Amino acid sequence: MFAIILAAGKGTRMGPTDRPKVCLEVGGTPVIVRALETYARCGISHHILVVGDRADEVMATVSARFPQTIFAYQAEQRGTGHAARCGAAVLDAFDYQGDVLIVVGDRLLSDRLVRGLIERFRTSGADLCLTVGAKEDCPDAGRVIEDTDGNVLANIEVSDLV
């Protein structure tokens, strides 16, 4: 399994910082490094990191701990879906046909959540499995719209919310 980790954003909702948001530290370790450590503990050792804004800083931070990481460049930040396509283009170039975990690089997920998502995906026979947070926990994020049966109808970027 490959992980495509989205880390190209400018972090404008955070306000000005001296580092890219994925390089900010929690407990002395950059968030992106903590995320990669989680995925590695969950059995994912192949990573494609989508970078854009301040790419050199993000790449240096990641390469120091995970030198085997592959980087994909998103020249213009055009949303989550576009960033995922930038990462998927790398897999297409390698003609990769296996499973892919797509995650954002600025969230810390528990091993339990990641393992559970992977297990649910592999046992369900679904083409896609996703997890979302409660709207109340992330009021500045986009939205996943579902029908009454829980089927996903759309993913709305935060910039498109009225």
Side-chain angles (χ1 to χ4, degrees):
M1 177 176 277
F2 263 88
I4 295 176
I5 303 146
L6 311 178
K10 294 181 180 180
T12 54
R13 291 189 303 263
M14 292 184 63
T17 66
D18 64 337
R19 291 182 240 180
K21 67 179 177 176
V22 297
C23 295
L24 295 173
E25 295 183 355
V26 173
T29 302
V31 169
I32 190 64
V33 171
R34 286 183 175 276
L36 289 164
E37 289 171 346
T38 296
Y39 308 135
R41 285 191 304 271
C42 293
I44 303 169
S45 57
H46 304 291
H47 307 113
I48 296 173
L49 192 71
V50 181
V51 295
D53 186 63
R54 299 165 78 172
D56 55 339
E57 295 174 65
V58 176
M59 291 169 31
T61 298
V62 169
S63 295
R65 174 68 173 81
F66 291 92
Q68 72 282 8
T69 301
I70 299 168
F71 297 96
Y73 186 66
Q74 184 186 26
E76 181 182 349
Q77 285 67 58
R78 296 183 359 203
T80 305
H82 182 261
R85 283 191 296 276
C86 291
V90 173
L91 294 177
D92 284 344
F94 290 118
D95 198 31
Y96 178 74
Q97 300 295 313
D99 296 334
V100 179
L101 174 72
I102 300 175
V103 291
V104 294
D106 62 351
R107 299 285 196 285
L108 295 178
L109 304 176
S110 70
D111 292 15
R112 181 174 171 245
L113 179 86
V114 173
R115 283 189 181 112
L117 183 64
I118 293 168
E119 178 66 21
R120 176 81 181 240
F121 172 73
R122 288 187 170 153
T123 61
S124 70
D127 293 326
L128 171 72
C129 188
L130 61 101
T131 185
V132 297
K135 179 171 58 173
E136 298 78 29
D137 294 337
C138 299
D140 295 334
R143 301 285 183 265
V144 174
I145 309 300
E146 301 174 340
D147 66 17
T148 55
D149 295 324
N151 298 305
V152 174
L153 300 174
N155 177 27
I156 309 296
E157 295 285 346
V158 69
S159 59
D160 295 329
L161 293 173
V162 176

